[in-house]
Amino acid sequence: MVDVAGWVASLDGMTEIETEITAGLVRDLLRDQHPDLAELPLREVEGGWGNQMWRLGDELAVRIQRMETDPDRQLKERRWLPVLAPRLPLPIPVPVRSGAPSERFRKLWTVVTWVPGLPLDHESITRGEHAADTLAAFLRALHVTAPADAPVGGGFAAHPKDCAGGFDHFFDSLDADAIGSDAADVRSIWDDAVAAPAWESPPVWVHGDLHPANVVVADGTLAGVVDFGELSVGDPASDLAAAWVLLPEGAAARFFAAYGEADEATVRRARGLAALKSLFLMLMGQNGDRGLPGGKPAWGPAGRAALDRVLSERLTRFRE
């Protein structure tokens, strides 16, 4: 997935024909560039949008561009994930081999470590308190000052006021009954986030795209984080929105207590961004129900559930 502007562009252009990627193609690419891996068992992993995943043996996967055409996201993952992985308390897909564009396939692909578990959009969290503590620990470890040459944030790593076009697009594109009588309250939450003071501390590392397809679950709790294509430095509120987008009902307060570093303004921004991401998930679900390319039918109910949590779980206590 991509930043807000990219999300809007992708939704508007979903008639684009994606590159057909087959097991034969992936194996040919491996034989050409990494022959020692070419005969490992290979199977397609369901899901993916801009990139497709193929399980390679027991411990690896091939992440290959499908609809994605920008090489920068995979190049960024290759550069920074090996640096970040050793200090993160959850497994992430660490690049171990690089696949270059070729006559056979003109886009990027990367061999990464496999993160065991099922994506949250195909599974559920049943141990809410454990998941809240786990997510808080992961984000505390991630949200540290980055080196000077780290990629600068955009999209969700920016202030909500810079995402207003995306919010309006998602809100207006949904069927009227999708939001229903909650429309005014959703607008109020968003307006409050836009009015919240900006992040004034040094920018920190942020994942930038935490949603149900980008985390994996095992034993009823969070077990890994994937897809770091939006990794950058910016406002941590973009990731803190996951308290409502990922965690089950009633877990947001425990998450923020465990995270321990979010002031009132940051939580306000995070809540508004959670509403934005919920609307996006709902719109992807709506597109899936209509059979549009790139639509994800399962994301609609996940987005609506997340929006319900945003509406009902208003936090009243913050770090002093």
Coordinates of all heavy atoms in Angstrom, one line a residue, residues 16-110:
E16 N -6.1 -0.5 -14.2 CA -4.8 -0.9 -14.7 C -4.6 -2.4 -14.6 O -4.9 -3.0 -13.7 CB -3.7 -0.2 -13.9 CG -2.3 -0.6 -14.2 CD -1.3 0.0 -13.3 OE1 -1.6 0.9 -12.5 OE2 -0.1 -0.3 -13.5
I17 N -4.0 -2.9 -15.7 CA -3.8 -4.4 -15.8 C -2.5 -4.6 -15.0 O -1.4 -4.1 -15.4 CB -3.6 -4.8 -17.2 CG1 -4.9 -4.5 -18.0 CG2 -3.4 -6.3 -17.2 CD1 -6.2 -5.2 -17.5
E18 N -2.6 -5.5 -14.0 CA -1.4 -5.8 -13.2 C -0.5 -6.8 -14.0 O -1.0 -7.6 -14.8 CB -1.7 -6.3 -11.9 CG -2.5 -7.6 -11.9 CD -2.9 -8.0 -10.5 OE1 -3.5 -7.2 -9.8 OE2 -2.7 -9.2 -10.2
T19 N 0.8 -6.8 -13.7 CA 1.7 -7.8 -14.3 C 1.3 -9.2 -13.8 O 1.1 -9.4 -12.6 CB 3.1 -7.5 -13.9 OG1 3.4 -6.2 -14.3 CG2 4.1 -8.5 -14.5
E20 N 1.2 -10.1 -14.8 CA 0.9 -11.5 -14.4 C 2.2 -12.2 -13.9 O 3.2 -12.3 -14.6 CB 0.3 -12.3 -15.5 CG 0.0 -13.7 -15.2 CD -0.6 -14.5 -16.3 OE1 -0.6 -14.0 -17.5 OE2 -1.0 -15.7 -16.1
I21 N 2.1 -12.6 -12.6 CA 3.3 -13.2 -12.0 C 2.9 -14.7 -11.7 O 1.9 -14.9 -11.0 CB 3.7 -12.5 -10.7 CG1 4.1 -11.1 -11.1 CG2 4.8 -13.2 -10.0 CD1 4.3 -10.2 -9.9
T22 N 3.7 -15.6 -12.2 CA 3.4 -17.0 -12.0 C 4.6 -17.7 -11.3 O 5.7 -17.1 -11.2 CB 3.2 -17.7 -13.4 OG1 4.5 -17.6 -14.1 CG2 2.1 -17.0 -14.2
A23 N 4.3 -18.9 -10.8 CA 5.4 -19.6 -10.2 C 6.6 -19.8 -11.1 O 7.7 -19.8 -10.8 CB 4.9 -20.9 -9.6
G24 N 6.2 -20.1 -12.4 CA 7.3 -20.3 -13.4 C 8.1 -19.1 -13.6 O 9.4 -19.2 -13.7
L25 N 7.5 -17.9 -13.6 CA 8.3 -16.7 -13.7 C 9.2 -16.5 -12.5 O 10.4 -16.2 -12.6 CB 7.4 -15.4 -13.8 CG 8.0 -14.1 -13.7 CD1 9.0 -13.9 -14.8 CD2 7.0 -13.0 -13.7
V26 N 8.7 -16.6 -11.3 CA 9.5 -16.4 -10.1 C 10.7 -17.4 -10.1 O 11.8 -17.1 -9.8 CB 8.6 -16.6 -8.8 CG1 9.5 -16.5 -7.6 CG2 7.5 -15.5 -8.8
R27 N 10.4 -18.7 -10.4 CA 11.5 -19.7 -10.4 C 12.5 -19.3 -11.5 O 13.7 -19.5 -11.2 CB 10.9 -21.1 -10.6 CG 11.9 -22.1 -10.1 CD 11.2 -23.5 -10.1 NE 10.2 -23.7 -9.1 CZ 10.4 -23.9 -7.8 NH1 11.6 -23.9 -7.3 NH2 9.4 -24.1 -7.0
D28 N 12.1 -18.9 -12.6 CA 13.1 -18.5 -13.7 C 14.0 -17.3 -13.2 O 15.2 -17.3 -13.4 CB 12.3 -18.1 -14.9 CG 11.8 -19.3 -15.7 OD1 12.2 -20.4 -15.4 OD2 11.0 -19.0 -16.6
L29 N 13.3 -16.4 -12.5 CA 14.1 -15.2 -12.0 C 15.2 -15.7 -10.9 O 16.3 -15.3 -10.9 CB 13.2 -14.2 -11.3 CG 12.2 -13.5 -12.3 CD1 11.3 -12.6 -11.5 CD2 13.0 -12.7 -13.4
L30 N 14.7 -16.6 -10.1 CA 15.7 -17.2 -9.1 C 16.8 -18.0 -9.8 O 18.0 -17.8 -9.4 CB 14.9 -18.1 -8.1 CG 14.0 -17.4 -7.1 CD1 13.1 -18.4 -6.4 CD2 14.8 -16.6 -6.1
R31 N 16.5 -18.8 -10.8 CA 17.5 -19.5 -11.5 C 18.5 -18.6 -12.1 O 19.7 -18.9 -12.2 CB 16.8 -20.4 -12.5 CG 16.1 -21.6 -11.9 CD 15.4 -22.4 -13.0 NE 14.7 -23.6 -12.4 CZ 13.6 -24.1 -12.9 NH1 13.0 -23.6 -13.9 NH2 13.1 -25.2 -12.3
D32 N 18.0 -17.5 -12.6 CA 18.9 -16.6 -13.3 C 19.8 -15.8 -12.4 O 21.0 -15.6 -12.6 CB 18.1 -15.6 -14.1 CG 19.0 -14.6 -14.9 OD1 19.9 -15.1 -15.6 OD2 18.7 -13.4 -14.9
Q33 N 19.3 -15.4 -11.2 CA 20.1 -14.5 -10.3 C 20.5 -15.1 -9.0 O 21.5 -14.7 -8.4 CB 19.2 -13.2 -10.1 CG 18.9 -12.4 -11.3 CD 18.3 -11.1 -11.1 OE1 18.6 -10.4 -10.1 NE2 17.4 -10.7 -12.0
H34 N 19.7 -16.1 -8.5 CA 20.1 -16.7 -7.3 C 19.8 -18.2 -7.4 O 18.9 -18.8 -6.8 CB 19.2 -16.1 -6.1 CG 19.5 -14.7 -5.9 ND1 20.6 -14.2 -5.3 CD2 18.7 -13.6 -6.2 CE1 20.6 -12.9 -5.3 NE2 19.4 -12.5 -5.8
P35 N 20.6 -18.9 -8.2 CA 20.3 -20.3 -8.5 C 20.3 -21.2 -7.3 O 19.7 -22.3 -7.3 CB 21.4 -20.7 -9.5 CG 22.5 -19.6 -9.3 CD 21.8 -18.4 -8.9
D36 N 21.1 -20.9 -6.2 CA 21.1 -21.7 -5.1 C 19.8 -21.8 -4.3 O 19.5 -22.7 -3.5 CB 22.2 -21.3 -4.1 CG 22.0 -19.8 -3.6 OD1 21.7 -19.0 -4.5 OD2 22.1 -19.6 -2.4
L37 N 18.9 -20.9 -4.6 CA 17.5 -20.8 -4.0 C 16.4 -21.3 -5.0 O 15.3 -21.5 -4.5 CB 17.2 -19.4 -3.6 CG 18.2 -18.7 -2.6 CD1 17.7 -17.3 -2.3 CD2 18.3 -19.5 -1.3
A38 N 16.8 -21.6 -6.2 CA 15.8 -21.8 -7.2 C 15.0 -23.0 -7.1 O 13.8 -23.1 -7.6 CB 16.4 -21.7 -8.6
E39 N 15.5 -24.1 -6.4 CA 14.7 -25.3 -6.3 C 14.0 -25.5 -5.0 O 13.5 -26.6 -4.7 CB 15.7 -26.5 -6.6 CG 16.4 -26.4 -7.9 CD 15.5 -26.1 -9.1 OE1 14.4 -26.8 -9.2 OE2 15.8 -25.3 -10.0
L40 N 14.0 -24.5 -4.2 CA 13.3 -24.6 -2.9 C 11.8 -24.6 -3.2 O 11.3 -24.0 -4.3 CB 13.6 -23.4 -2.0 CG 15.0 -23.3 -1.4 CD1 15.2 -22.0 -0.7 CD2 15.2 -24.5 -0.4
P41 N 11.0 -25.2 -2.4 CA 9.5 -25.2 -2.6 C 9.0 -23.8 -2.7 O 9.4 -22.9 -2.0 CB 9.0 -25.9 -1.4 CG 10.1 -26.8 -0.9 CD 11.4 -26.0 -1.2
L42 N 8.1 -23.6 -3.6 CA 7.6 -22.2 -3.9 C 6.1 -22.3 -4.0 O 5.5 -23.1 -4.7 CB 8.2 -21.7 -5.3 CG 7.8 -20.3 -5.8 CD1 8.5 -19.3 -4.9 CD2 8.2 -20.1 -7.2
R43 N 5.4 -21.3 -3.3 CA 4.0 -21.2 -3.4 C 3.5 -19.8 -3.2 O 4.1 -19.0 -2.4 CB 3.3 -22.1 -2.4 CG 3.5 -21.8 -0.9 CD 2.7 -22.8 -0.1 NE 3.0 -22.6 1.4 CZ 2.4 -21.7 2.1 NH1 1.4 -20.9 1.6 NH2 2.7 -21.6 3.4
E44 N 2.5 -19.4 -3.9 CA 1.9 -18.1 -3.8 C 1.3 -17.8 -2.5 O 0.6 -18.7 -1.9 CB 0.9 -17.8 -4.9 CG 0.4 -16.4 -5.0 CD -0.6 -16.2 -6.1 OE1 -0.8 -17.2 -6.9 OE2 -1.2 -15.1 -6.2
V45 N 1.5 -16.6 -1.9 CA 0.8 -16.2 -0.7 C -0.4 -15.3 -1.1 O -0.2 -14.3 -1.8 CB 1.8 -15.5 0.2 CG1 1.1 -15.0 1.5 CG2 3.0 -16.3 0.6
E46 N -1.5 -15.7 -0.6 CA -2.7 -14.9 -0.9 C -2.6 -13.5 -0.4 O -2.1 -13.2 0.7 CB -4.0 -15.6 -0.3 CG -5.3 -14.9 -0.6 CD -6.5 -15.5 0.1 OE1 -6.3 -16.6 0.7 OE2 -7.6 -15.0 -0.1
G47 N -3.1 -12.5 -1.1 CA -3.1 -11.1 -0.7 C -2.1 -10.3 -1.5 O -1.6 -10.7 -2.5
G48 N -1.8 -9.2 -1.0 CA -0.8 -8.3 -1.6 C -1.6 -7.4 -2.6 O -2.6 -7.7 -3.1
W49 N -1.0 -6.2 -2.8 CA -1.6 -5.3 -3.8 C -0.6 -4.8 -4.7 O -0.4 -5.3 -5.8 CB -2.3 -4.1 -2.9 CG -3.1 -3.2 -3.8 CD1 -3.5 -3.3 -5.0 CD2 -3.5 -1.9 -3.3 NE1 -4.2 -2.2 -5.4 CE2 -4.2 -1.3 -4.4 CE3 -3.4 -1.1 -2.2 CZ2 -4.8 0.0 -4.4 CZ3 -4.0 0.1 -2.1 CH2 -4.7 0.7 -3.2
G50 N 0.2 -3.8 -4.3 CA 1.3 -3.4 -5.1 C 2.4 -4.4 -5.3 O 3.0 -4.5 -6.4
N51 N 2.6 -5.3 -4.3 CA 3.6 -6.3 -4.4 C 2.9 -7.7 -4.1 O 1.9 -7.7 -3.4 CB 4.7 -6.1 -3.4 CG 5.5 -4.8 -3.7 OD1 6.4 -4.8 -4.5 ND2 5.1 -3.7 -3.0
Q52 N 3.5 -8.7 -4.6 CA 3.0 -10.1 -4.4 C 4.1 -10.9 -3.6 O 5.3 -10.6 -3.8 CB 2.7 -10.8 -5.7 CG 2.0 -12.1 -5.5 CD 1.6 -12.7 -6.9 OE1 2.3 -12.5 -7.9 NE2 0.5 -13.3 -7.0
M53 N 3.7 -11.8 -2.7 CA 4.6 -12.6 -2.0 C 4.5 -14.0 -2.4 O 3.4 -14.6 -2.6 CB 4.3 -12.5 -0.5 CG 4.5 -11.1 0.1 SD 6.2 -10.7 0.3 CE 6.7 -11.7 1.7
W54 N 5.7 -14.7 -2.5 CA 5.7 -16.1 -2.8 C 6.6 -16.7 -1.7 O 7.7 -16.3 -1.4 CB 6.4 -16.3 -4.1 CG 5.5 -15.9 -5.3 CD1 5.2 -14.7 -5.7 CD2 4.7 -16.8 -6.1 NE1 4.4 -14.7 -6.8 CE2 4.0 -16.0 -7.0 CE3 4.5 -18.2 -6.1 CZ2 3.1 -16.6 -7.9 CZ3 3.6 -18.8 -7.0 CH2 3.0 -17.9 -7.9
R55 N 6.0 -17.7 -1.0 CA 6.8 -18.4 0.1 C 7.8 -19.3 -0.6 O 7.6 -20.0 -1.6 CB 5.8 -19.3 0.8 CG 6.4 -20.1 2.0 CD 6.5 -19.2 3.2 NE 7.0 -19.9 4.4 CZ 6.3 -20.6 5.3 NH1 5.0 -20.7 5.2 NH2 6.9 -21.2 6.3
L56 N 9.1 -19.1 -0.1 CA 10.2 -19.8 -0.7 C 10.8 -20.7 0.4 O 11.5 -20.2 1.3 CB 11.2 -18.8 -1.2 CG 12.5 -19.3 -1.9 CD1 12.1 -20.1 -3.2 CD2 13.4 -18.2 -2.2
G57 N 10.6 -22.0 0.3 CA 11.1 -22.9 1.4 C 10.3 -22.6 2.7 O 9.2 -22.1 2.7
D58 N 11.0 -22.9 3.8 CA 10.4 -22.7 5.1 C 10.7 -21.3 5.7 O 9.9 -20.8 6.5 CB 10.8 -23.7 6.1 CG 10.3 -25.1 5.7 OD1 9.2 -25.2 5.1 OD2 11.0 -26.1 6.0
E59 N 11.8 -20.7 5.3 CA 12.3 -19.5 6.0 C 12.3 -18.2 5.2 O 12.7 -17.2 5.7 CB 13.7 -19.8 6.6 CG 13.7 -21.0 7.6 CD 15.0 -21.3 8.1 OE1 16.0 -20.6 7.6 OE2 15.2 -22.1 9.1
L60 N 12.0 -18.3 3.9 CA 12.2 -17.2 3.0 C 10.9 -16.9 2.2 O 10.0 -17.7 2.2 CB 13.3 -17.4 2.0 CG 14.7 -17.6 2.6 CD1 15.7 -18.0 1.5 CD2 15.2 -16.4 3.4
A61 N 10.9 -15.7 1.6 CA 9.8 -15.4 0.7 C 10.4 -14.4 -0.4 O 11.4 -13.8 -0.2 CB 8.7 -14.7 1.4
V62 N 9.7 -14.4 -1.5 CA 10.0 -13.5 -2.6 C 9.0 -12.4 -2.6 O 7.8 -12.7 -2.8 CB 10.1 -14.2 -4.0 CG1 10.4 -13.2 -5.1 CG2 11.2 -15.3 -4.0
R63 N 9.4 -11.2 -2.5 CA 8.5 -10.0 -2.6 C 8.8 -9.4 -3.9 O 9.9 -8.9 -4.2 CB 8.8 -9.0 -1.4 CG 8.0 -7.8 -1.4 CD 8.2 -7.1 0.0 NE 7.9 -5.7 0.0 CZ 6.6 -5.2 0.1 NH1 5.6 -6.1 0.2 NH2 6.4 -3.9 0.2
I64 N 7.7 -9.4 -4.8 CA 7.9 -9.0 -6.2 C 6.9 -8.0 -6.6 O 5.7 -8.1 -6.2 CB 7.9 -10.3 -7.1 CG1 8.2 -9.9 -8.5 CG2 6.5 -11.0 -7.0 CD1 8.4 -11.2 -9.4
Q65 N 7.3 -7.0 -7.3 CA 6.4 -5.9 -7.7 C 5.4 -6.4 -8.6 O 5.7 -7.1 -9.6 CB 7.2 -4.8 -8.3 CG 8.0 -3.9 -7.4 CD 8.7 -2.7 -8.1 OE1 9.3 -2.9 -9.1 NE2 8.5 -1.6 -7.5
R66 N 4.1 -6.0 -8.4 CA 3.0 -6.4 -9.3 C 2.4 -5.2 -9.9 O 2.9 -4.7 -10.9 CB 2.0 -7.2 -8.5 CG 0.9 -7.8 -9.3 CD 0.0 -8.7 -8.6 NE -0.6 -8.2 -7.4 CZ -1.2 -8.9 -6.5 NH1 -1.4 -10.2 -6.6 NH2 -1.8 -8.4 -5.4
M67 N 1.5 -4.5 -9.2 CA 1.0 -3.2 -9.7 C 2.0 -2.1 -9.4 O 2.0 -1.1 -10.0 CB -0.4 -3.0 -9.1 CG -1.4 -4.0 -9.5 SD -3.0 -3.6 -8.7 CE -3.5 -2.1 -9.5
E68 N 2.8 -2.3 -8.4 CA 3.8 -1.3 -8.0 C 4.8 -1.1 -9.1 O 5.3 -2.0 -9.7 CB 4.5 -1.7 -6.7 CG 5.6 -0.8 -6.2 CD 5.0 0.5 -5.7 OE1 4.4 0.6 -4.6 OE2 5.2 1.5 -6.5
T69 N 5.1 0.2 -9.4 CA 6.1 0.5 -10.4 C 7.2 1.3 -9.8 O 8.3 1.5 -10.5 CB 5.4 1.3 -11.5 OG1 4.8 2.5 -11.0 CG2 4.4 0.5 -12.3
D70 N 7.1 1.9 -8.6 CA 8.1 2.7 -8.0 C 9.1 1.8 -7.3 O 8.8 1.1 -6.4 CB 7.4 3.6 -7.0 CG 8.4 4.6 -6.3 OD1 9.6 4.5 -6.7 OD2 8.0 5.4 -5.5
P71 N 10.4 1.9 -7.7 CA 11.4 1.0 -7.1 C 11.8 1.5 -5.7 O 12.4 0.7 -4.9 CB 12.6 1.1 -8.1 CG 12.5 2.4 -8.7 CD 11.0 2.7 -8.8
D72 N 11.5 2.7 -5.4 CA 12.0 3.3 -4.1 C 11.6 2.6 -2.9 O 12.4 2.5 -1.9 CB 11.6 4.8 -4.0 CG 12.3 5.7 -5.0 OD1 13.3 5.2 -5.6 OD2 11.9 6.8 -5.2
R73 N 10.4 2.0 -2.9 CA 9.9 1.4 -1.6 C 10.7 0.1 -1.3 O 11.1 -0.1 -0.2 CB 8.4 1.1 -1.7 CG 7.6 2.4 -1.8 CD 6.1 2.0 -1.8 NE 5.3 3.3 -1.7 CZ 4.9 4.0 -2.8 NH1 5.3 3.6 -4.0 NH2 4.2 5.1 -2.7
Q74 N 11.0 -0.7 -2.3 CA 11.8 -1.9 -2.1 C 13.2 -1.5 -1.8 O 13.9 -2.2 -1.0 CB 11.7 -2.9 -3.3 CG 10.4 -3.7 -3.2 CD 10.5 -5.1 -3.9 OE1 11.6 -5.6 -3.9 NE2 9.4 -5.6 -4.5
L75 N 13.7 -0.5 -2.5 CA 15.1 -0.1 -2.2 C 15.2 0.4 -0.8 O 16.2 0.1 -0.1 CB 15.5 1.0 -3.2 CG 15.6 0.5 -4.7 CD1 15.9 1.7 -5.6 CD2 16.7 -0.6 -4.8
K76 N 14.2 1.1 -0.3 CA 14.2 1.6 1.1 C 14.2 0.4 2.0 O 14.9 0.4 3.0 CB 13.0 2.5 1.3 CG 12.9 3.0 2.6 CD 11.8 4.2 2.7 CE 10.5 3.8 2.0 NZ 9.5 4.9 2.1
E77 N 13.4 -0.6 1.8 CA 13.3 -1.8 2.6 C 14.7 -2.5 2.7 O 15.2 -2.9 3.7 CB 12.2 -2.7 2.2 CG 10.8 -2.2 2.4 CD 9.8 -3.1 1.9 OE1 10.0 -3.8 0.9 OE2 8.6 -3.1 2.4
R78 N 15.3 -2.6 1.5 CA 16.6 -3.3 1.5 C 17.7 -2.5 2.3 O 18.5 -3.1 3.0 CB 17.1 -3.3 0.0 CG 16.3 -4.3 -0.9 CD 16.9 -4.2 -2.3 NE 16.1 -5.0 -3.2 CZ 16.4 -5.0 -4.5 NH1 17.4 -4.4 -5.0 NH2 15.6 -5.7 -5.4
R79 N 17.6 -1.2 2.3 CA 18.6 -0.3 3.0 C 18.4 -0.4 4.5 O 19.3 -0.5 5.2 CB 18.5 1.1 2.4 CG 19.2 2.2 3.3 CD 20.7 2.0 3.2 NE 21.4 3.0 3.9 CZ 21.7 2.9 5.2 NH1 21.4 1.9 5.9 NH2 22.4 3.9 5.8
W80 N 17.1 -0.2 4.9 CA 16.9 0.1 6.3 C 16.4 -1.1 7.2 O 16.6 -1.1 8.4 CB 15.9 1.2 6.5 CG 16.5 2.5 6.0 CD1 16.2 3.2 4.8 CD2 17.6 3.3 6.6 NE1 17.0 4.3 4.7 CE2 17.8 4.4 5.7 CE3 18.3 3.1 7.7 CZ2 18.8 5.3 6.1 CZ3 19.3 4.1 8.0 CH2 19.5 5.2 7.2
L81 N 15.7 -2.1 6.6 CA 15.2 -3.1 7.5 C 16.2 -4.0 8.2 O 16.1 -4.3 9.3 CB 14.2 -4.0 6.7 CG 12.9 -3.3 6.2 CD1 11.9 -4.3 5.7 CD2 12.3 -2.5 7.3
P82 N 17.4 -4.2 7.5 CA 18.4 -4.9 8.3 C 19.0 -4.1 9.4 O 19.5 -4.7 10.4 CB 19.5 -5.2 7.2 CG 18.8 -5.2 5.9 CD 17.7 -4.1 6.1
V83 N 18.9 -2.8 9.3 CA 19.3 -1.9 10.4 C 18.3 -2.0 11.6 O 18.7 -2.0 12.8 CB 19.5 -0.5 9.9 CG1 19.9 0.4 11.1 CG2 20.6 -0.5 8.8
L84 N 17.1 -1.9 11.3 CA 16.0 -1.8 12.3 C 15.7 -3.2 13.0 O 15.4 -3.2 14.2 CB 14.7 -1.3 11.7 CG 14.8 0.1 11.2 CD1 13.5 0.5 10.5 CD2 15.0 1.1 12.4
A85 N 15.8 -4.3 12.2 CA 15.3 -5.6 12.7 C 15.9 -6.0 14.0 O 15.2 -6.5 14.9 CB 15.5 -6.6 11.6
P86 N 17.2 -5.8 14.3 CA 17.8 -6.4 15.5 C 17.2 -5.8 16.8 O 17.3 -6.4 17.8 CB 19.3 -6.1 15.3 CG 19.5 -6.0 13.9 CD 18.3 -5.3 13.4
R87 N 16.7 -4.6 16.7 CA 16.2 -4.0 17.9 C 14.7 -3.9 18.1 O 14.1 -3.3 19.0 CB 16.8 -2.5 18.1 CG 16.4 -1.6 17.0 CD 17.0 -0.2 17.3 NE 16.7 0.8 16.3 CZ 15.6 1.4 16.1 NH1 14.6 1.2 17.0 NH2 15.4 2.3 15.2
L88 N 14.0 -4.6 17.1 CA 12.5 -4.6 17.2 C 12.1 -5.9 17.8 O 12.6 -7.0 17.5 CB 11.9 -4.5 15.8 CG 12.2 -3.2 15.1 CD1 11.7 -3.2 13.7 CD2 11.6 -2.0 15.9
P89 N 11.1 -5.9 18.7 CA 10.7 -7.1 19.5 C 9.7 -8.0 18.7 O 9.4 -9.0 19.3 CB 10.0 -6.5 20.7 CG 9.4 -5.2 20.2 CD 10.4 -4.7 19.2
L90 N 9.4 -7.7 17.5 CA 8.6 -8.6 16.7 C 9.4 -8.8 15.4 O 10.1 -7.9 14.9 CB 7.2 -8.0 16.3 CG 6.2 -7.9 17.4 CD1 4.9 -7.2 16.9 CD2 5.8 -9.3 17.9
P91 N 9.2 -10.0 14.8 CA 9.9 -10.3 13.5 C 9.3 -9.4 12.4 O 8.1 -9.1 12.3 CB 9.6 -11.7 13.2 CG 8.4 -12.1 14.1 CD 8.5 -11.2 15.3
I92 N 10.2 -9.0 11.5 CA 9.9 -8.3 10.3 C 10.6 -8.9 9.1 O 11.5 -9.7 9.3 CB 10.3 -6.8 10.4 CG1 11.8 -6.6 10.4 CG2 9.6 -6.1 11.6 CD1 12.2 -5.2 10.4
P93 N 10.1 -8.7 7.9 CA 10.8 -9.4 6.7 C 12.1 -8.7 6.4 O 12.1 -7.6 5.8 CB 9.7 -9.2 5.6 CG 9.0 -8.0 6.0 CD 8.9 -7.9 7.5
V94 N 13.2 -9.3 6.7 CA 14.5 -8.7 6.5 C 15.0 -9.2 5.1 O 15.1 -10.3 4.8 CB 15.5 -9.2 7.5 CG1 16.9 -8.6 7.3 CG2 15.0 -8.8 8.9
P95 N 15.3 -8.2 4.2 CA 15.9 -8.5 2.9 C 17.2 -9.3 3.0 O 18.1 -8.9 3.8 CB 16.1 -7.2 2.2 CG 15.1 -6.3 2.9 CD 15.1 -6.7 4.3
V96 N 17.4 -10.4 2.3 CA 18.6 -11.2 2.3 C 19.2 -11.3 0.9 O 20.4 -11.6 0.8 CB 18.4 -12.5 2.9 CG1 18.0 -12.4 4.4 CG2 17.3 -13.3 2.2
R97 N 18.4 -11.2 -0.1 CA 19.0 -11.2 -1.5 C 18.2 -10.1 -2.3 O 17.0 -9.9 -2.1 CB 18.7 -12.6 -2.2 CG 19.4 -13.7 -1.4 CD 20.9 -13.8 -1.7 NE 21.4 -15.0 -1.1 CZ 21.5 -16.2 -1.7 NH1 21.2 -16.3 -3.0 NH2 22.0 -17.3 -1.1
S98 N 18.9 -9.6 -3.3 CA 18.3 -8.6 -4.2 C 18.1 -9.1 -5.6 O 19.0 -9.7 -6.2 CB 19.2 -7.3 -4.2 OG 19.3 -6.7 -3.0
G99 N 16.9 -8.9 -6.1 CA 16.6 -9.2 -7.5 C 16.5 -8.0 -8.4 O 15.8 -7.0 -8.1
A100 N 17.3 -7.9 -9.4 CA 17.4 -6.8 -10.3 C 16.5 -6.9 -11.5 O 16.1 -8.0 -11.9 CB 18.8 -6.6 -10.8
P101 N 16.0 -5.8 -12.0 CA 15.2 -5.8 -13.2 C 16.0 -6.5 -14.4 O 17.2 -6.4 -14.4 CB 14.9 -4.3 -13.5 CG 15.0 -3.6 -12.2 CD 16.1 -4.4 -11.5
S102 N 15.3 -7.2 -15.2 CA 15.9 -7.9 -16.3 C 15.0 -7.9 -17.5 O 13.9 -7.4 -17.5 CB 16.2 -9.3 -15.9 OG 15.0 -10.0 -15.6
E103 N 15.5 -8.5 -18.6 CA 14.7 -8.6 -19.8 C 13.5 -9.5 -19.5 O 12.4 -9.2 -20.1 CB 15.6 -9.3 -20.9 CG 14.9 -9.3 -22.3 CD 14.8 -7.9 -22.9 OE1 15.7 -7.0 -22.5 OE2 14.0 -7.6 -23.7
R104 N 13.6 -10.4 -18.7 CA 12.5 -11.3 -18.3 C 11.4 -10.6 -17.5 O 10.2 -10.9 -17.7 CB 13.0 -12.5 -17.6 CG 12.0 -13.6 -17.2 CD 11.7 -14.5 -18.4 NE 10.9 -15.7 -18.0 CZ 9.6 -15.7 -17.9 NH1 8.9 -14.6 -18.1 NH2 9.0 -16.8 -17.5
F105 N 11.9 -9.7 -16.6 CA 10.9 -9.0 -15.7 C 11.6 -7.7 -15.3 O 12.6 -7.7 -14.8 CB 10.7 -9.9 -14.4 CG 9.6 -9.3 -13.5 CD1 8.3 -9.4 -13.8 CD2 10.0 -8.7 -12.3 CE1 7.3 -8.8 -13.0 CE2 9.1 -8.1 -11.5 CZ 7.7 -8.2 -11.8
R106 N 10.9 -6.6 -15.7 CA 11.6 -5.3 -15.6 C 11.3 -4.5 -14.3 O 11.6 -3.3 -14.2 CB 11.1 -4.4 -16.8 CG 11.5 -5.0 -18.2 CD 11.1 -4.1 -19.3 NE 11.5 -4.7 -20.6 CZ 12.7 -4.6 -21.1 NH1 13.7 -4.0 -20.5 NH2 13.0 -5.2 -22.3
K107 N 10.8 -5.2 -13.3 CA 10.6 -4.6 -12.0 C 11.5 -5.2 -11.0 O 12.2 -6.2 -11.2 CB 9.1 -4.7 -11.6 CG 8.1 -4.0 -12.5 CD 6.7 -4.2 -12.1 CE 5.7 -3.6 -13.0 NZ 4.3 -3.7 -12.5
L108 N 11.4 -4.7 -9.7 CA 12.2 -5.2 -8.7 C 11.6 -6.4 -8.0 O 10.4 -6.5 -7.9 CB 12.4 -4.1 -7.6 CG 13.4 -3.0 -7.9 CD1 13.6 -2.1 -6.7 CD2 14.8 -3.5 -8.3
W109 N 12.5 -7.2 -7.4 CA 12.0 -8.2 -6.5 C 13.1 -8.5 -5.4 O 14.3 -8.2 -5.7 CB 11.6 -9.5 -7.2 CG 12.7 -10.0 -8.1 CD1 13.0 -9.6 -9.4 CD2 13.6 -11.1 -7.9 NE1 14.0 -10.3 -9.9 CE2 14.4 -11.3 -9.0 CE3 13.8 -12.0 -6.8 CZ2 15.4 -12.2 -9.1 CZ3 14.8 -12.9 -6.9 CH2 15.6 -13.1 -8.0
T110 N 12.7 -8.9 -4.3 CA 13.6 -9.1 -3.2 C 13.3 -10.4 -2.4 O 12.1 -10.7 -2.2 CB 13.5 -7.9 -2.2 OG1 13.7 -6.7 -2.9 CG2 14.5 -8.0 -1.1

